[in-house]
Amino acid sequence: MSLTALDESAIPSVEGGVVAILKSKWHDELVNNMAIACTRVLIERGIESVEEHEVPGTLELPLAVQVLADKQVHDAFVCLSVVEKGSTAHFEMIVHATTDALQRISVDQRVPVINEIVAVYDIGDAIARASNDEFNKGIEAAAAALEMIDFVRSNR
């Protein structure tokens, strides 16, 4: 397993804005670690308000994003989840369906929807990606949200 840390000094700043972080309840300690890192970076880089919303599982993320997107008050959405492969095809169904739906919402609503669904075959890989260090995927999710907010604002 090879992890690369993002250079936080290269993450752009934006002025103001509202970002919603949506979290699944499964593997809540790991998901919360990612949310904490994500929120920290968003606030440090100028986001005015970060909302957190919790949903039962990964598959519920798209509907929650759609409901919030309909309000047209968010500059971006960050979806955080951990899905571990078991002995059935359930893993593939959840990850593919959720990813497709989140992408569709992003394009249709013209709003950044950052997908940080950590899909792993071994929970140790998720732990490595959601620990309280520079490899935390919440940092990358925040960076992607900030870059896309800046892109959308610059091209309106």
Side-chain angles (χ1 to χ4, degrees), residues 123-137:
I123 198 64
D125 290 334
I127 292 168
R129 288 161 174 79
S131 294
N132 295 319
D133 60 22
E134 69 273 17
F135 302 111
N136 187 302
K137 291 295 183 181

Side-chain angles (χ1 to χ4, degrees), residues 142-153:
L146 290 161
E147 287 183 40
M148 289 306 299
I149 291 168
D150 185 52
F151 178 85
V152 169
R153 287 180 179 178

Side-chain angles (χ1 to χ4, degrees), residues 80-102:
L80 303 174
S81 182
V82 172
V83 182
E84 181 183 13
K85 172 119 174 85
S87 58
T88 68
H90 192 63
F91 168 90
E92 286 86 0
M93 293 178 343
I94 289 172
V95 172
H96 290 296
T98 303
T99 299
D100 291 346
L102 291 175

